[in-house]
């Protein structure tokens, strides 16, 4: 704990108090006061090795030794407000889930250039455009006037 | 230090994934479906020549009249010889008509056997054996030499239409490995020849190709002057003396 | 009998992909491996004949390991796209991998991919999913009779295909969807519409032809999502025709949902049932009883035809008939209009004579039976009629009644074939009903039957192949018009779903009531439209061409204000002051029992008792006009199929000119 305080004081000395506060906010320490999950990650991070950072800014940590085996790899998401597991790109997925010991930076070199797609997070639940409403559902804008049959139109006669 | 470690690690990973991206080897010379081209479409008329019609009759006489479809392979072979080494759709349709089956049954056979070519081949179709004994004795080098000399890819025909190179599975000449086969379609089905050239070297295959280009017929069989057929190089090494008589007990001695 | 069949009889289920009980045995999937005592290796049970004293072990570790090995090889190149596969949930591979699949594979190479084939507007192909069981190849060759599909290539490059670009032009092609054990062949109209576990199955009867194939209507909520065959060995085995399988989208289009009256300006206006019925009742009282005519459509059920006949009889008219039965149908002798041999009985025949009928388009399932017989027993087929494409070997004897005369007189070479036959089978098409010389043709056919000894106590080989689902029931109920040309002199015409009557013959001043479910040909001449429910929405009795009564069950609710046919007539009779004495389905069925008791014996074939010999002698002159084609377009025969988009696509791309 002492080292944490020391490094904090050092950072204030170097950058000034304003920029230190901004960094605190950007790094999510203020959010962590309310978000226990993030706070726990932050506490976990102390003394852990930063194995890599992916292109979205998610940080991957590993701590061997005193951590329970199976909990020794974790990710701190770049997004501090809303984060979920689908933000982990595939190259890091294997490392994070103990499928492989190769880190995402190594596996990224094997990504096929011709057809490898950019990773996109799963946006389900993030607004209407990402939700599937079945036809006839009152929230389905395109299908609101769906009918189950098409009546014969006498005007054609 | 770190960079070197990372590079080494990367090589290891590459090693693991190396095996993956190789496409499966294709032996047959064409796709499993037909695409219409000006020289290969069902509307082109095709028929056996008069001389070959007699051969067709002879082939069909080998089979009972209600099992004409048994003649599909010899007939396809004859059609291939007549048509310069490859089968068009209309040729297959003609064979189907002769043996009275639906055309698809003939397509099934023609796509199954890799010796039926469904795309154009050269007048001399060079087949390099790629099976293990030949491969160990350097068939890859021979194929490379051929392809380099002719300036084509595998299953591609040279611009003058004379040569094409394909790969074959074991042709039973392992004792004379490596070997190539030259299927000669330059004279139709009458002058058709299917010759083995054994004990070839990258230099020798190029000589063979050049000889064929000149219209010569290089001697077939082993190309190693020190060997006779599949005998050992430089004459026999064992069993040189007079064969001994079978051992027999000296009956008088006992 | 093979080991697999023996095990099936013993009640042991053996997993399989390529084996299908109605197709030849291929033995190429190896999923059915079992252990046989004293055999050094596991044995493919589908191809191994069962021998006496054989000890078969289906449940041993060896058998399980062998199947697991096979399954691993099958899954090696099978894509992992079950979540987007239409077969998901009813996939043999999926089911069996639950028992024999591993949770991981050892295959590290890339999976192969195969180019999809275009088989037309009905069958969707995802050939990468194919496991090369060759069921579709064998189905196409053996049952459908179109040798288009084949197995191309070898080894890992093996694929199912047509080699040359070709659509599958069979009227049974939809069945490859059912027999495909994986999602390689799926239904194109049903693609991505629903998952099969969401669907409610309703066991019903097909009405698009006179065969009455047993079907299962799969619905989700108020929509029919798809139609599948149901096993019935006597009628359709387990196949159905493409028309039966894919016409269901017609049930959602062009529907009549409100009663409508044509105003003085010639336009239709929606009205209430009360007003509509009042108008009809008023008009029907203004015309003379002899000027009232009723025509039942080809999709009518027996109940509504009974009600229509009773109602018009009460109004004093006896001019009721069902379309397709011709101007003077013969309803007296039942053997004169049904298939006496029965559909499954066709398999016992050894010589067929088809008179003016093209079973391939008129009744595809009957055609499949004939083809089966021709294949299995080398039955000979003679055909009299316009040149047509039957998918089995047949002899085209001639085009007109003249040829029949020659056969009857023994001048034709085919007549000796007929006479020498053990079980000759003569099939007369219902298209003959429309001819004026129909009685003469029938008497010639009867002469032929007599000389060939086609009608015996143990065999009745004189058949009529009907065209429409309503025809047999209409004749059973006695829907026979008093005069053949009553329509020309009529003032009030009640069209109960009848779209194929000659609308031009209806006089200008006649009042036409159209009661039906689709806005088809009939509505354009109608003065008043009464919407009714389609066969998928009502309970009704249908009699198929072999005289087997079957009932439909409502699968989905009806549309708009539509009502059951018989209820409309019952309500109309009350408004018109001639109330019919039944107000429930049970009551109307007990009324039917008094007229035709066989209609109540559902799912049971009722053979005709009296043969043609009771028929009065016909003095008609036979004309020389050749036989016509009864069904011009296989895919569009009635109001539902004409409304279907899929059927329109089919007739555009598949029908041969």
């Amino acid at each position: 704990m002492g080292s944490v305080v020391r490094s904090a004081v050092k950072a204030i000395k170097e950058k000034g108090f304003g920029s230190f506060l901004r960094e605190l906010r950007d790094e999510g320490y203020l959010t962590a006061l309310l978000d226990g999950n993030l706070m726990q990650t932050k506490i976990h991070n102390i003394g852990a090795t930063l194995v890599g950072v992916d292109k979205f800014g998610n940080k991957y940590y590993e701590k061997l030794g005193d951590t329970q085996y199976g909990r020794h790899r974790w990710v701190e998401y770049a997004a501090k407000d809303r984060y979920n597991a689908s933000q982990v790109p595939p190259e890091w997925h294997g490392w994070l889930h103990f499928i492989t010991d190769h880190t995402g930076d190594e596996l990224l070199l094997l990504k096929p250039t011709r057809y490898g797609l950019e990773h996109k997070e799963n946006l389900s639940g993030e607004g209407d455009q990402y939700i599937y409403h079945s036809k006839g559902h009152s929230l389905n804008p395109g299908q609101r006037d769906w009918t189950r049959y098409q009546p014969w139109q006498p005007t054609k006669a | 230090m770190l960079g070197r470690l990372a590079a080494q690690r990367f090589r290891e990973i590459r090693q693991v994934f190396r095996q993956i991206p190789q496409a499966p080897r294709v032996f047959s010379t064409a796709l499993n479906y037909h695409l219409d081209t000006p020289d290969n479409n069902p509307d082109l008329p095709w028929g056996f020549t008069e001389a070959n019609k007699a051969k067709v009759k002879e082939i069909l006489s080998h089979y009972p009249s209600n099992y004409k479809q048994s003649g599909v392979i010899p007939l396809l072979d004859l059609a291939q010889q007549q048509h310069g080494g490859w089968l068009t759709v209309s040729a297959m349709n003609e064979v189907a008509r002769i043996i009275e089956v639906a055309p698809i049954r003939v397509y099934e056979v023609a796509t199954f056997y890799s010796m039926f070519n469904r795309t154009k081949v050269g007048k001399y179709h060079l087949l390099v054996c790629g099976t293990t004994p030949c491969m160990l004795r350097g068939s890859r080098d021979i194929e490379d030499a051929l392809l380099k000399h002719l300036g084509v890819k595998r299953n591609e025909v040279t611009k003058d239409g004379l040569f094409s190179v394909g790969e074959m599975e074991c042709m039973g000449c392992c004792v004379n490995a490596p070997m190539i086969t030259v299927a000669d379609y330059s004279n139709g089905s009458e002058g058709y020849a299917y010759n083995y050239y054994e004990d070839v070297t990258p230099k020798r295959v190029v000589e063979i190709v050049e000889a064929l280009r000149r219209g010569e017929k290089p001697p077939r069989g082993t190309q190693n002057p020190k060997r006779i057929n599949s005998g050992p190089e430089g004459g026999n090494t064992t069993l040189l003396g007079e064969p001994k008589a079978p051992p027999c007990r000296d009956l008088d001695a006992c | 009998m093979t080991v697999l069949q023996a095990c099936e009889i013993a009640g042991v289920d053996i997993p399989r992909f390529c084996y299908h009980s109605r197709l030849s045995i291929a033995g190429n999937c190896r999923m059915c491996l079992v252990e046989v005592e004293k055999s050094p290796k596991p044995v493919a049970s589908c191809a191994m004949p069962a021998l006496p004293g054989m000890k078969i072990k289906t449940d041993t570790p060896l058998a399980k390991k062998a199947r697991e090995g096979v399954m691993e090889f099958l899954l090696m190149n099978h894509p992992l796209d079950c979540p987007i596969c239409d077969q998901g949930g009813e996939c043999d591979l999926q089911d069996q991998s639950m028992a024999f699949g591993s949770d991981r594979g050892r295959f590290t190479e890339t999976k192969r991919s195969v180019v999809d084939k275009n088989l037309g507007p009905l069958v969707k192909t995802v050939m990468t999913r194919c496991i090369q069981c060759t069921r579709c190849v064998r189905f196409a060759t053996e049952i459908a009779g179109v040798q288009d599909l084949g197995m191309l290539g070898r080894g890992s490059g093996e694929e199912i295909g047509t080699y040359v670009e070709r659509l599958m032009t069979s009227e049974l092609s939809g069945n490859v969807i059912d027999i495909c054990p994986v999602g390689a062949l799926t239904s194109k109209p049903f693609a991505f519409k629903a998952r099969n576990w969401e669907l409610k199955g309703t066991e019903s009867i097909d009405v698009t032809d006179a065969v009455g194939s047993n079907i299962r209507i799969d619905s989700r909520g108020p929509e029919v999502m798809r139609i599948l065959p149901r096993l019935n060995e006597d009628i359709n085995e387990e196949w159905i025709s493409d028309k039966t399988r894919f016409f269901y989208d017609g049930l959602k289009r062009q529907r009549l949902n409100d009663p409508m009256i044509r105003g003085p300006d010639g336009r239709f206006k929606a009205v209430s049932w009360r007003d509509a019925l009042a108008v009809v009742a008023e008009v029907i009282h203004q015309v003379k009883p002899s000027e009232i005519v009723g025509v039942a459509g080809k999709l009518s059920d027996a109940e509504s035809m009974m009600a229509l006949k009773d109602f018009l009889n009460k109004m004093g008219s006896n001019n009721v008939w069902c379309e397709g039965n011709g101007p003077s149908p013969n309803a007296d002798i039942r053997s004169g209009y049904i298939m006496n041999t029965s559909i499954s009985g066709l398999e016992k025949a050894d010589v067929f004579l088809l008179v003016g009928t093209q079973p391939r388009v008129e009744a595809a399932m009957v055609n499949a039976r004939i083809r089966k017989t021709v294949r299995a027993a080398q039955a000979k087929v003679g055909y009299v009629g316009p040149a047509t494409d039957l998918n089995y070997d047949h002899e085209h004897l001639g085009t007109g009644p003249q040829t029949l005369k020659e056969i009857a007189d023994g001048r034709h070479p085919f007549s000796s074939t007929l006479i020498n036959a053990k079980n000759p089978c003569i099939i007369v098409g219902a298209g003959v009903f429309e001819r004026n010389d129909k009685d003469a043709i029938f008497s010639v056919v009867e002469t032929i039957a007599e000389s060939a000894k086609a009608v015996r106590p143990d065999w009745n080989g004189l058949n009529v192949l009907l065209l429409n689902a309503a025809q047999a029931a209409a004749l059973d109920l006695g829907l026979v018009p008093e005069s053949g040309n009553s329509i020309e002199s009529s003032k009030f015409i009640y069209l109960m779903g009848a779209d194929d009557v000659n609308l031009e013959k209806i006089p200008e001043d006649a009042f036409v009531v159209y009661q039906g479910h689709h806005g088809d040909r009939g509505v354009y001449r109608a003065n008043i439209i009464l919407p009714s429910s389609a066969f998928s929405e009502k309970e009704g009795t249908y009699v198929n061409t072999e005289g087997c009564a079957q009932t439909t069950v409502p699968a989905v609710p009806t549309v708009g204000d539509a009502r059951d046919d018989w209820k409309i007539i019952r309500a109309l009779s009350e408004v018109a002051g001639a109330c019919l004495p039944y107000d429930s389905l049970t009551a109307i069925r007990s009324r039917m029992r008094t007229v035709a008791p066989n209609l109540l014996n559902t799912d049971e074939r009722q053979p005709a008792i009296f043969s043609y010999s009771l028929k009065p002698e016909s003095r008609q002159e036979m004309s020389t006009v050749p036989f016509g084609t009864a069904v011009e377009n296989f895919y569009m025969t009635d109001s539902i199929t004409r409304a279907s988009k899929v059927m329109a696509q089919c007739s555009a791309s598949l029908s041969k000119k």
Side-chain angles (χ1 to χ4, degrees):
Chain A
M1 232 353 156
S3 65
V4 176
V5 175
R6 242 178 284 130
S7 66
V9 171
K10 196 175 153 214
I12 295 173
K13 268 186 193 160
E14 275 174 12
K15 297 174 198 161
F17 196 66
S19 64
F20 172 70
L21 270 187
R22 205 178 313 123
E23 202 167 282
L24 265 189
R25 202 188 56 226
D26 289 349
E27 287 295 313
Y29 287 102
L30 298 181
T31 336
L33 295 176
L34 291 170
D35 185 346
N37 196 15
L38 185 57
M39 180 58 101
Q40 202 194 2
T41 311
K42 287 288 185 193
I43 294 169
H44 224 86
N45 285 352
I46 299 167
T49 351
L50 179 65
V51 179
V53 182
D54 68 19
K55 56 178 175 288
F56 302 109
N58 302 319
K59 291 175 183 151
Y60 298 88
Y61 290 93
E62 186 172 43
K63 191 178 186 184
L64 295 164
D66 58 342
T67 28
Q68 184 190 335
Y69 187 82
R71 291 192 186 174
H72 63 284
R73 287 177 185 175
W74 67 91
V75 57
E76 187 194 335
Y77 294 103
K80 306 298 176 200
D81 43 351
R82 38 158 300 278
Y83 45 85
N84 68 56
S86 73
Q87 288 165 348
V88 175
E91 62 266 17
W92 278 99
H93 179 92
W95 179 84
L96 191 60
H97 290 264
F98 313 105
I99 295 168
T100 171
D101 283 338
H102 301 302
T103 62
D105 295 334
E106 293 166 345
L107 294 177
L108 199 56
L109 298 170
L110 298 171
K111 185 174 170 180
T113 46
R114 195 158 50 82
Y115 53 88
L117 295 174
E118 273 309 303
H119 174 68
K120 269 194 291 187
E121 65 171 305
N122 181 359
L123 290 165
S124 293
E126 306 291 334
D128 266 354
Q129 65 268 40
Y130 301 116
I131 302 177
Y132 173 71
H133 296 293
S134 56
K135 57 184 176 184
H137 192 285
S138 56
L139 289 176
N140 186 338
Q143 306 268 8
R144 196 168 286 182
D145 47 0
W146 170 79
T147 51
R148 72 186 171 91
Y149 66 95
Q150 175 239 322
W152 175 72
Q153 295 298 334
T155 44
K156 283 187 198 158
Chain B
M1 168 72 186
L2 210 77
R4 199 140 43 88
L5 261 179
Q8 197 192 337
R9 194 74 178 282
F10 178 55
R11 270 201 299 277
E12 284 167 28
I13 304 168
R14 280 288 291 273
Q15 213 62 51
V16 172
F17 289 91
R18 237 325 171 20
Q19 322 130 351
I20 296 177
Q22 279 186 2
R25 282 203 300 171
V26 182
F27 297 117
S28 174
T29 51
L31 299 162
N32 275 344
Y33 49 88
H34 166 76
L35 297 171
D36 276 354
T37 53
D39 59 351
N40 184 9
N41 64 63
D43 300 329
L44 288 178
W46 197 93
F48 282 107
T49 57
E50 282 309 317
N52 280 349
K53 270 184 187 152
K55 276 194 198 168
V56 168
K57 219 169 179 183
E58 202 272 330
I59 288 167
L60 286 180
S61 70
H62 298 186
Y63 308 101
S65 59
N66 54 341
Y67 284 103
K68 277 188 183 165
Q69 64 259 47
S70 308
V72 61
I73 290 176
L75 288 183
L76 280 175
D77 186 35
L78 188 63
Q80 173 162 308
Q81 291 168 19
Q82 182 189 319
H83 197 70
W86 65 297
L87 289 167
T88 58
V89 177
S90 30
M92 291 191 252
N93 289 344
E94 171 70 8
V95 170
R97 192 189 62 76
I98 290 170
I99 58 174
E100 294 161 15
V101 295
I104 184 74
R105 299 281 98 87
V106 177
Y107 305 151
E108 281 178 329
V109 173
T111 53
F112 184 86
Y113 292 103
S114 54
M115 281 168 82
F116 292 128
N117 305 312
R118 285 169 291 116
T119 49
K120 210 165 200 160
V121 296
K123 281 186 173 160
Y124 298 97
H125 191 41
L126 313 171
L127 295 155
V128 183
C129 173
T131 310
T132 321
C134 282
M135 199 191 76
L136 292 173
R137 301 275 294 143
S139 70
R140 295 271 163 93
D141 298 338
I142 287 166
E143 190 181 357
D144 289 346
L146 279 175
L147 295 178
K148 199 165 156 235
H149 179 69
L150 295 170
V152 290
K153 295 200 198 84
R154 190 190 277 181
N155 294 332
E156 206 180 62
V157 188
T158 53
K159 282 206 189 70
D160 51 6
L162 269 181
F163 294 101
S164 58
V165 182
E167 192 185 329
M168 278 280 274
E169 283 312 303
C170 186
M171 288 181 271
C173 282
C174 309
V175 73
N176 293 72
M179 60 89 66
I180 64 165
T181 302
V182 177
D184 179 359
Y185 298 109
S186 55
N187 298 314
S189 54
E190 291 76 27
Y192 172 68
Y194 195 78
N195 287 333
Y196 283 12
Y197 293 89
E198 298 147 4
D199 285 323
V200 287
T201 55
K203 196 163 137 271
R204 180 64 193 152
V205 279
V206 173
E207 287 168 18
I208 293 172
V209 166
E210 284 310 312
L212 290 170
R213 201 194 289 280
R214 289 192 299 271
E216 294 166 17
K217 300 264 177 258
R220 61 176 194 205
T222 178
Q223 305 296 310
N224 186 341
K226 294 181 195 150
R227 290 183 76 172
I228 302 164
N229 293 333
S230 52
E233 188 172 323
N236 293 350
T237 53
T238 54
L239 304 176
L240 294 172
E242 274 299 302
K244 267 190 269 177
C248 189
R249 272 194 302 167
D250 191 357
L251 293 173
D252 301 334
C254 44
Chain C
M1 184 189 286
T2 67
V3 171
L4 191 144
Q5 287 162 339
C7 289
E8 215 150 69
I9 291 168
V12 179
D13 195 32
I14 293 177
R16 83 286 301 264
F17 291 116
C18 71
Y19 174 80
H20 192 277
S21 52
R22 276 167 226 283
L23 303 174
S24 65
I25 291 165
N28 53 3
C29 76
R30 316 309 286 183
M31 195 60 200
C32 60
L33 292 172
V34 294
E35 195 182 342
V36 175
E37 213 161 77
K38 289 182 188 140
S39 160
K41 292 185 285 182
V43 167
S45 62
C46 71
M48 183 77 172
L51 301 169
M54 216 177 202
K55 290 205 176 68
I56 302 155
K57 296 172 187 166
T58 61
D59 221 5
T60 54
L62 179 79
K64 184 160 193 294
K65 196 179 169 211
R67 290 174 196 167
E68 278 170 356
V70 169
M71 181 58 89
E72 192 176 346
F73 272 113
L74 287 176
L75 293 178
M76 202 165 82
N77 273 321
H78 194 79
L80 289 170
D81 59 354
C82 300
I84 56 148
C85 177
D86 267 318
Q87 192 86 353
E90 50 182 3
C91 173
D92 287 1
L93 190 66
Q94 217 177 25
D95 295 348
Q96 292 176 29
S97 64
M98 290 291 111
F100 300 106
S102 166
D103 60 344
R104 60 202 64 202
R106 288 176 279 179
F107 185 67
T108 52
E109 277 83 53
T110 38
K111 296 197 176 210
R112 72 183 194 132
S113 56
V114 183
V115 179
D116 291 347
K117 312 292 183 296
N118 178 14
L119 292 182
L122 299 176
V123 182
K124 182 187 154 194
T125 60
V126 185
M127 294 319 283
T128 307
R129 294 181 190 146
C130 176
I131 58 168
Q132 281 85 37
C133 70
T134 69
R135 273 191 192 179
C136 51
V137 176
R138 283 174 284 148
F139 177 85
T141 312
E142 292 161 19
I143 310 257
V146 284
Q147 300 212 16
D148 284 346
L149 285 177
M151 173 72 95
L152 304 167
R154 69 190 299 179
S156 64
E158 206 170 35
E159 57 184 281
I160 301 285
T162 50
Y163 194 64
V164 289
E165 180 81 38
R166 182 174 282 181
L167 304 182
M168 200 170 168
T169 50
S170 164
E171 68 289 346
L172 300 176
S173 64
N175 293 303
V176 297
I177 296 163
D178 286 343
I179 57 166
C180 183
V182 292
L185 304 173
T186 50
S187 164
K188 213 174 236 178
F190 180 62
F192 309 132
K193 289 284 188 301
R195 305 305 309 226
N196 56 70
W197 56 83
E198 306 170 323
L199 302 174
K200 182 191 75 169
T202 311
E203 308 209 323
S204 190
I205 299 301
D206 165 46
V207 297
T208 53
D209 55 27
V211 179
S213 301
N214 288 210
I215 55 170
R216 196 180 86 205
I217 302 177
D218 277 353
S219 56
R220 185 178 63 187
E223 269 184 288
V224 175
M225 298 308 293
R226 66 171 176 181
I227 288 176
L228 291 180
R230 195 148 58 86
L231 181 72
N232 188 332
E233 292 290 346
D234 293 332
I235 297 170
N236 57 327
E237 298 182 276
E238 61 184 85
W239 322 117
I240 49 174
S241 70
D242 283 355
K243 185 166 60 169
T244 312
R245 189 184 293 266
F246 293 111
F247 80 106
Y248 58 86
D249 72 320
L251 291 169
K252 293 177 213 161
R253 303 185 69 246
Q254 302 284 335
R255 287 302 297 264
L256 302 174
N257 55 352
D258 279 316
M260 283 184 243
I261 293 183
R262 195 192 287 272
D265 57 345
R267 318 198 82 177
F268 278 109
K269 199 160 80 359
V271 292
S272 70
W273 271 108
R274 184 184 299 273
D275 296 347
L277 291 179
V279 171
V280 179
E282 200 189 317
V283 175
I284 202 167
H285 280 297
Q286 284 166 1
V287 296
K288 276 190 274 173
S290 60
E291 290 166 347
I292 299 174
V293 165
V295 187
K298 46 173 71 160
L299 304 177
S300 311
D301 53 324
E303 284 84 356
S304 55
M305 286 191 286
M306 184 80 256
L308 181 69
K309 181 172 154 69
D310 281 351
F311 172 58
L312 293 192
N313 285 357
K314 278 208 170 192
M315 300 312 296
S317 160
N318 203 14
N319 281 318
V320 191
W321 74 92
C322 174
E323 62 182 351
N325 279 347
S328 57
N330 159 38
D332 296 332
I333 294 161
R334 192 152 181 269
S335 63
Y337 59 85
I338 65 167
M339 181 165 268
N340 295 304
T341 314
S342 83
I343 295 171
S344 57
L346 291 176
E347 287 179 26
K348 294 196 202 85
D350 51 1
V351 170
F352 290 94
L353 176 62
L354 308 177
V355 179
T357 178
Q358 298 92 37
R360 193 169 178 192
V361 287
E362 289 174 18
M365 295 325 305
V366 170
N367 193 56
R369 282 292 175 149
I370 299 175
R371 182 177 154 76
K372 190 179 175 186
T373 316
V374 170
R375 253 183 81 84
Q378 274 77 46
K380 286 195 182 66
V381 180
Y383 167 73
V384 182
T388 185
D389 178 27
L390 296 171
N391 50 4
Y392 35 81
D393 286 339
H394 66 279
E395 210 177 315
H396 193 183
L397 307 172
T399 55
Q402 227 39 51
T403 320
L404 282 184
K405 194 102 189 111
E406 283 172 29
I407 298 172
D409 298 348
R411 281 181 283 135
H412 200 281
F414 196 75
S415 53
S416 63
T417 318
L418 266 174
I419 288 163
N420 294 331
K422 222 169 94 208
N423 290 330
C425 178
I426 302 165
I427 301 177
V428 184
V432 174
F433 285 162
E434 303 283 357
R435 289 172 67 100
N436 292 325
D437 57 344
K438 124 186 138 64
D439 287 337
I441 287 169
F442 270 100
S443 67
V444 172
V445 169
E446 278 148 19
T447 321
I448 297 171
E450 190 112 354
S451 60
K453 296 198 185 58
V455 183
R456 308 188 298 259
D458 61 328
W459 173 257
N460 192 339
L462 185 55
N463 303 300
V464 176
L465 180 59
L466 297 178
L467 290 171
N468 310 326
Q471 267 179 306
L475 292 169
D476 279 352
L477 290 169
L479 261 69
V480 180
E482 221 161 47
S483 75
N485 45 13
S486 49
I487 210 163
E488 282 94 332
S489 59
S490 60
K491 289 275 178 295
F492 178 94
I493 300 178
Y494 201 103
L495 298 175
M496 195 172 72
D499 293 300
D500 292 288
V501 289
N502 201 339
L503 294 169
E504 275 114 59
K505 278 209 254 169
I506 298 174
E508 278 297 305
D509 57 340
F511 187 84
V512 179
V513 180
Y514 183 82
Q515 172 187 329
H517 37 75
H518 276 77
D520 201 44
R521 293 172 189 165
V523 280
Y524 294 102
R525 176 60 189 87
N527 294 78
I528 193 158
I529 297 171
L530 306 175
S532 68
S533 41
F535 83 102
S536 57
E537 297 148 8
K538 67 181 174 190
E539 216 172 319
T541 306
Y542 290 90
V543 179
N544 75 356
T545 185
E546 56 166 4
C548 176
Q550 303 178 103
T551 49
T552 58
V553 183
V556 288
T558 189
V559 302
D561 251 354
R563 295 288 180 271
D564 283 5
D565 282 295
W566 72 268
K567 285 182 184 161
I568 296 170
I569 294 165
R570 164 68 180 70
L572 177 61
S573 72
E574 195 168 339
V575 178
C579 192
L580 293 172
Y582 30 78
D583 46 15
S584 71
L585 209 61
T586 333
I588 194 166
R589 284 192 177 152
S590 58
R591 161 74 182 132
M592 270 154 54
R593 186 196 303 277
T594 60
V595 182
N598 61 301
L599 292 178
L600 276 296
N601 297 338
T602 50
D603 297 334
E604 202 177 307
R605 191 179 108 80
Q606 197 79 21
I609 300 159
F610 304 110
S611 79
Y612 64 91
S613 53
L614 294 173
K615 224 158 77 171
E617 191 101 344
S618 150
R619 304 237 176 277
Q620 237 174 14
E621 262 310 297
M622 197 157 68
S623 76
T624 52
V625 184
F627 294 114
T629 43
V631 175
E632 291 290 344
N633 184 349
F634 169 68
Y635 296 101
M636 291 183 150
T637 48
D638 48 56
S639 58
I640 305 179
T641 48
R642 277 193 289 260
S644 159
K645 265 188 185 163
V646 178
M647 289 293 108
Q649 282 171 9
C650 287
S651 53
S653 63
L654 296 180
S655 332
K656 286 184 201 133
K657 295 285 142 4

